[in-house]
Amino acid sequence: MAGVAGGNDFQWCFSQVKGAIDEDVAEADIISTVEFNHSGELLATGDKGGRVVIFQHEQECKNRPNLRGEYNVYSTFQSHEPEFDYLKSLEIEEKINKIRWLPQQNSAHFLLSTNDKTIKLWKIGERDKRAEGYNLKDEDGRLRDPFRITSLRVPVLMPMDLMVEASPRRVFANAHTYHINSISVNSDHQTYLSADDLRINLWHLEITDRSFNIVDIKPANMEELTEVITAAECHPNQCNVFVYSSSKGTIRLCDMRTAALCDSHTKFFEEPEDPSSRSFFSEIISSISDVKFSHSGRYMMTRDYLSVKVWDLNMENRPVETYQVHEYLRSKLCSLYENDCIFDKFECCWNGSDSAIMTGSYNNFFRMFDRNTRKDITLEASRESSKPRATLKPRKVSTGGKRKKDEISVDSLDFNKKILHTAWHPKENVIAVAATNNLYIFQDKIN
Amino acid sequence: MFPKGTKRKFSDSGDEPAAGGEDVNQPSSVAVRMLSSYSLQRQSLLDMSLIKLQLCHMLVEPNLCRSVLIANTVRQIQEEMTQDGTWQIMTQALSAANAAAQCSADRLVATEVLCRQTEATQGEQVLKPFPAVGSEGCPAEEEVVVEGEGGVTMSTVSPQAPTSYLPGTFGMDPCWEEENGEDEEEDEDSEECGSGSEEGDSDRLVEDSRTAEQVFGTFEIKNPAPSPDPALEELFSDVDASYYDLDTVLTGMQSAPKMGPYDLLESLSSHGPSPLSSSTSCRSDLNELDHIMEIIVGS
């Protein structure tokens, strides 16, 4: 794949936007996770209301080969409901924190969705045939009187309108005291891990009544707690390896073959702190909000508040690449601390060939970095630039005194419009960007 | 953080930096201003952090990561203040009851000004290193001119002036330890038992301030003086010290805070940080409401 910024590289165009246009956004409609499946055919979103919406990529029109197909709603279902923890007298939010697809093994699709406490395995299957001609019941379902049956017939499968059914196949509950922040399917396709603030559990997809605890960082005395787990992921091809990140900006790589309890890490990744930029907010902005392995499995990427870092798994003492997402916010940290924005958890993602990375920012801006050319681009997900196949114009935030035309000043940024969740198609240059309650889909312009 | 004794320089737009760090008794007026400005900033940050820790959404379990990060920030500030000697001064000054109520409103203003100032000084570090405040070098009162976009002028009190919602003797005060776990409607006016032991406690505090238990004991918010300020009284009237053990904070076992006092608190500070204006409904015990009403009516 070519690069991300202009020139003979790709140009990003608007494709679609999903969601209501209302200024008043219902809290339940806020998208909380976005994930393509392994083929890119399906795109799943989860929202704060506990619903999952799956979009399917339409077959491309043969008449218009320049136009990629659109994503249309494939299935919608209520994954999680709000619950009440009677022991603690606290509500358990139904917000979907993460969705992860299982690799497809038959005609049905499977995904894991999780809220703060419970993980569910959903099967999404298609039904386009219906059996007709039962012996024991009528077409409308009423039971026939057995004495009236004088002959037998074989039911025949008749075509029917396509129906997509989502059914919960497994419920993995009661294994997490703290809030689940990550789930990750293992490359063995049999197990997966789930991580909360203090513990990581390993599950078998078939077994719901128990799980293995593989990491536990809860101190004996909770008053000594200074660090929590913020994200975890399984290695894409080594089923014994996983990583987890912490609120202190460290990443630990663990090998499950070494011990049953992986409290001691195999590798420890931490960048030494720059003493000249130390402030009271240093620790908070170093907290890692997302960690993602590259598709190759050789690198991993971490997102902290102001930057994205690419790490070589063979080098623990510093990242190999660092990209500044919105360095202009460094002088605003106090305000961002006061309005809690400093605790926003941005995600990041790789493109299919690991040559580019993407992450979100404020004011509905999102950023892409080309690892080869070192070019970067800032784009905006907005209704204004949502004309069909309109090329997105690069945006710029002015940091100095003079603001050029078309630039936006730091003080004009809307910190309520944050892009926390983005996803990149595993094979093509198609991206999905969640802006509050709207899902934007952008594609490259095929020349 | 910064090793003790190292001369720390600060840079200001155009102003002459202070020469040395030790002698603050006869510094330039700029140095004095910057000293107290930094202390003020730090103080405001501490206040803000403590408020954030208290005001959690009570219906849903608070975010543990956020709580831990804020707690670490609080501890960091305390450690630095302990090194500066400011901490000891402050704990001693908590027995100066009358000043508590007067400066509380100023401190809320300081939070707002702090952030406005931060926005005005683009590209600058939020909290710059400053020469250490000598323990005897704490001026009683000073004017701080904040040159921001609005040209705000405010007069502040030195860090000596206590605030009623700063942690006091952090669990060392035997009077407060007794109150742990007791009925929350117990009278909070405990200054009669506090003043006597505060001297000794603050000494012990300085020594032990780095231990984790001590630090997280700071979550026990003290109201050492009968404050004439009704807003603060309401805010802390039914505070049970045990509620602020770190464990309970982090696992969300606190009782629901009341909305009434927070509206008042918000009106005092025009910056109104978002947690204060949270619209989640808080469950409140009928007894607690009655208690608050008594106070409102009483004052």
Side-chain angles (χ1 to χ4, degrees):
Chain A
M1 273 182 228
V4 299
N8 31 348
D9 306 313
F10 286 108
Q11 286 187 314
W12 291 100
C13 320
F14 170 80
S15 175
Q16 295 169 270
V17 60
K18 308 280 186 197
I21 311 178
D22 281 347
E23 278 301 314
D24 263 341
V25 178
E27 177 104 2
D29 292 337
I30 295 175
I31 299 170
S32 50
T33 184
V34 185
E35 187 82 358
F36 280 99
N37 75 338
H38 295 276
S39 65
E41 183 208 352
L42 298 178
L43 174 61
T45 63
D47 63 23
K48 275 195 169 182
R51 290 164 303 201
V52 171
V53 181
I54 301 176
F55 302 93
Q56 184 187 38
H57 198 191
E58 252 181 25
Q59 292 299 324
E60 286 149 33
C61 298
K62 293 212 169 87
N63 319 346
R64 307 168 76 181
N66 290 343
L67 202 64
R68 280 212 184 85
E70 289 195 333
Y71 280 86
N72 296 319
V73 177
Y74 179 65
S75 174
T76 306
F77 56 93
Q78 186 77 32
S79 171
H80 287 73
E81 299 274 1
E83 286 173 45
F84 195 76
D85 182 334
Y86 294 98
L87 285 179
K88 293 187 191 172
S89 289
L90 292 168
E91 277 185 9
I92 298 171
E93 279 187 334
E94 67 274 30
K95 172 170 77 91
I96 308 292
N97 291 338
K98 284 285 178 340
I99 289 175
R100 289 287 183 263
W101 291 92
L102 266 56
Q104 193 173 10
Q105 288 171 327
N106 52 35
S107 59
H109 299 274
F110 288 86
L111 61 78
L112 287 169
S113 71
T114 184
N115 68 348
D116 284 338
K117 298 285 186 182
T118 305
I119 307 140
K120 293 187 184 180
L121 176 70
W122 287 88
K123 174 183 174 186
I124 298 105
E126 289 183 6
R127 189 194 292 260
D128 63 353
K129 292 181 186 57
R130 184 182 66 217
E132 284 178 17
Y134 283 103
N135 291 293
L136 294 177
K137 56 180 179 178
D138 284 339
E139 294 311 320
D140 47 7
R142 272 184 309 182
L143 289 172
R144 288 168 74 185
D145 188 359
F147 294 108
R148 296 268 187 84
I149 300 170
T150 53
S151 63
L152 287 177
R153 54 187 176 171
V154 177
V156 178
L157 289 175
M158 303 294 290
M160 61 178 254
D161 290 338
L162 177 67
M163 198 164 68
V164 180
E165 296 172 316
S167 56
R169 301 307 261 190
R170 307 269 187 279
V171 177
F172 305 91
N174 301 323
H176 286 280
T177 310
Y178 302 95
H179 292 178
I180 298 174
N181 52 54
S182 313
I183 48 174
S184 180
V185 183
N186 210 344
S187 52
D188 60 8
H189 303 168
Q190 290 183 354
T191 58
Y192 73 95
L193 64 75
S194 60
D196 66 26
D197 294 317
L198 298 177
R199 297 192 179 98
I200 301 180
N201 293 332
L202 184 73
W203 302 82
H204 191 284
L205 285 165
E206 300 290 330
I207 300 168
T208 59
D209 60 354
R210 69 203 115 99
S211 66
F212 287 110
N213 174 243
I214 52 177
V215 173
D216 188 341
I217 64 167
K218 183 179 177 199
N221 183 0
M222 274 296 272
E223 288 187 354
E224 290 165 8
L225 180 65
T226 58
E227 192 175 10
V228 299
I229 297 170
T230 52
E233 200 182 38
C234 291
H235 193 277
N237 36 55
Q238 294 171 35
C239 60
N240 53 298
V241 172
F242 67 96
V243 292
Y244 67 94
S245 60
S246 82
S247 57
K248 288 199 171 173
T250 64
I251 308 105
R252 288 169 177 81
L253 185 142
C254 301
D255 187 335
M256 289 190 267
R257 295 172 302 188
T258 55
L261 192 60
C262 297
D263 277 357
S264 61
H265 50 262
T266 303
K267 293 196 186 190
F268 182 78
F269 299 83
E270 186 178 28
E271 184 170 25
E273 196 185 355
D274 176 14
S276 65
S277 65
R278 179 132 181 87
S279 76
F280 284 119
F281 304 109
S282 294
E283 187 184 314
I284 299 178
I285 63 169
S286 74
S287 174
I288 291 171
S289 52
D290 194 17
V291 63
K292 290 262 171 50
F293 278 106
S294 65
H295 292 92
S296 63
R298 182 165 164 207
Y299 298 97
M300 68 176 174
M301 164 167 59
T302 58
R303 174 73 156 99
D304 51 72
Y305 190 63
L306 297 179
S307 68
V308 185
K309 295 177 182 171
V310 176
W311 302 77
D312 185 325
L313 293 188
N314 298 319
M315 187 159 73
E316 299 170 51
N317 57 357
R318 62 178 173 82
V320 289
E321 295 155 31
T322 301
Y323 301 95
Q324 300 302 333
V325 181
H326 36 220
E327 182 69 13
Y328 46 79
L329 294 182
R330 195 179 283 273
S331 56
K332 308 280 180 199
L333 291 179
C334 186
S335 310
L336 295 165
Y337 179 70
E338 190 173 14
N339 63 18
D340 267 9
C341 281
I342 207 173
F343 300 108
D344 285 336
K345 293 194 189 297
F346 291 96
E347 293 173 9
C348 52
C349 59
W350 299 84
N351 71 342
S353 62
D354 297 337
S355 64
I357 57 184
M358 169 167 66
T359 188
S361 178
Y362 293 104
N363 209 69
N364 277 357
F365 287 171
F366 57 99
R367 304 260 284 139
M368 286 187 199
F369 304 93
D370 188 319
R371 295 178 62 214
N372 299 326
T373 66
R374 293 305 170 117
K375 282 198 221 169
D376 63 89
I377 191 169
T378 305
L379 299 171
E380 183 180 0
S382 72
R383 291 276 174 176
E384 283 75 39
S385 54
S386 302
K387 317 244 174 349
R389 296 189 301 285
T391 306
L392 293 180
K393 199 175 66 168
R395 305 296 309 229
K396 192 141 164 46
V397 177
S398 73
T399 52
K402 289 203 175 132
R403 185 173 72 90
K404 295 187 191 127
K405 191 185 121 180
D406 284 351
E407 281 186 6
I408 184 167
S409 73
V410 186
D411 297 313
S412 313
L413 294 175
D414 188 343
F415 289 96
N416 290 321
K417 292 189 181 165
K418 46 192 97 172
I419 291 184
L420 304 172
H421 312 287
T422 58
W424 204 314
H425 191 291
K427 297 184 172 61
E428 299 170 5
N429 273 358
V430 177
I431 55 176
V433 174
T436 317
N437 62 328
N438 288 46
L439 181 72
Y440 288 83
I441 299 172
F442 302 107
Q443 299 179 359
D444 66 316
K445 196 176 253 179
I446 312 172
N447 297 318
Chain B
M1 285 273 296
F2 307 104
K4 228 173 153 52
T6 308
K7 281 189 189 178
R8 292 179 288 183
K9 293 185 188 158
F10 65 91
S11 61
D12 195 20
S13 47
D15 275 355
E16 197 102 11
E22 298 90 341
D23 183 28
V24 292
N25 287 327
Q26 296 172 24
S28 65
S29 58
V30 171
V32 170
R33 263 185 269 143
M34 300 309 283
L35 275 180
S36 46
S37 172
Y38 174 72
S39 302
L40 203 72
Q41 287 178 351
R42 191 172 56 184
Q43 195 73 62
S44 303
L45 192 61
L46 183 63
D47 297 347
M48 209 194 312
S49 306
L50 291 170
I51 291 176
K52 279 183 184 299
L53 283 169
Q54 294 172 52
L55 301 180
C56 304
H57 295 271
M58 278 305 115
L59 277 183
V60 184
E61 229 170 321
N63 187 335
L64 185 65
C65 182
R66 178 177 171 272
S67 303
V68 166
L69 288 173
I70 298 172
N72 289 350
T73 307
V74 167
R75 191 199 304 125
Q76 210 182 316
I77 295 173
Q78 285 176 343
E79 280 176 5
E80 194 183 276
M81 290 175 90
T82 309
Q83 285 177 7
D84 290 350
T86 324
W87 198 247
Q88 192 173 8
I89 294 163
M90 193 166 59
T91 55
Q92 285 170 358
L94 277 170
S95 54
N98 288 336
Q102 285 164 7
C103 75
S104 58
D106 291 335
R107 189 140 311 127
L108 290 170
V109 172
T111 307
E112 180 211 19
V113 174
L114 163 70
C115 293
R116 229 192 293 158
Q117 180 186 18
T118 308
E119 280 155 28
T121 59
Q122 290 207 17
E124 263 184 63
Q125 210 56 37
V126 173
L127 296 160
K128 288 188 180 301
F130 284 98
V133 176
S135 52
E136 64 276 338
C138 250
E141 210 151 307
E142 47 213 0
E143 297 272 341
V144 175
V145 177
V146 174
E147 279 166 28
E149 282 176 342
V152 174
T153 307
M154 71 178 179
S155 63
T156 69
V157 255
S158 70
Q160 205 166 0
T163 175
S164 52
Y165 42 85
L166 263 192
T169 53
F170 321 134
M172 296 291 279
D173 187 337
C175 186
W176 282 100
E177 280 171 16
E178 285 167 24
E179 288 189 9
N180 281 351
E182 284 177 26
D183 189 67
E184 60 187 336
E185 291 187 354
E186 187 146 319
D187 189 6
E188 296 289 297
D189 294 336
S190 61
E191 83 277 16
E192 53 260 336
C193 65
S195 56
S197 50
E198 280 216 24
E199 286 294 309
D201 287 342
S202 53
D203 288 339
R204 276 180 288 160
L205 168 68
V206 173
E207 285 167 38
D208 300 343
S209 63
R210 288 193 190 96
T211 63
E213 286 83 7
Q214 202 56 39
V215 166
F216 288 113
T218 68
F219 286 18
E220 296 168 83
I221 309 301
K222 315 286 185 228
N223 191 7
S227 163
D229 188 338
L232 291 168
E233 263 208 326
E234 284 168 76
L235 186 63
F236 295 102
S237 59
D238 60 342
V239 162
D240 182 349
S242 68
Y243 277 62
Y244 294 94
D245 286 341
L246 176 64
D247 200 19
T248 57
V249 167
L250 296 185
T251 55
M253 295 288 279
Q254 295 181 66
S255 69
K258 313 300 169 293
M259 291 308 285
Y262 299 150
D263 295 336
L264 288 164
L265 196 64
E266 194 182 9
S267 67
L268 284 172
S269 160
S270 59
H271 221 252
S274 45
L276 289 178
S277 52
S278 153
S279 59
T280 34
S281 58
C282 301
R283 289 172 289 120
S284 45
D285 204 26
L286 220 54
N287 290 336
E288 293 168 0
L289 267 175
D290 283 345
H291 188 62
I292 290 173
M293 286 309 300
E294 277 172 41
I295 293 164
I296 295 173
V297 169
S299 63

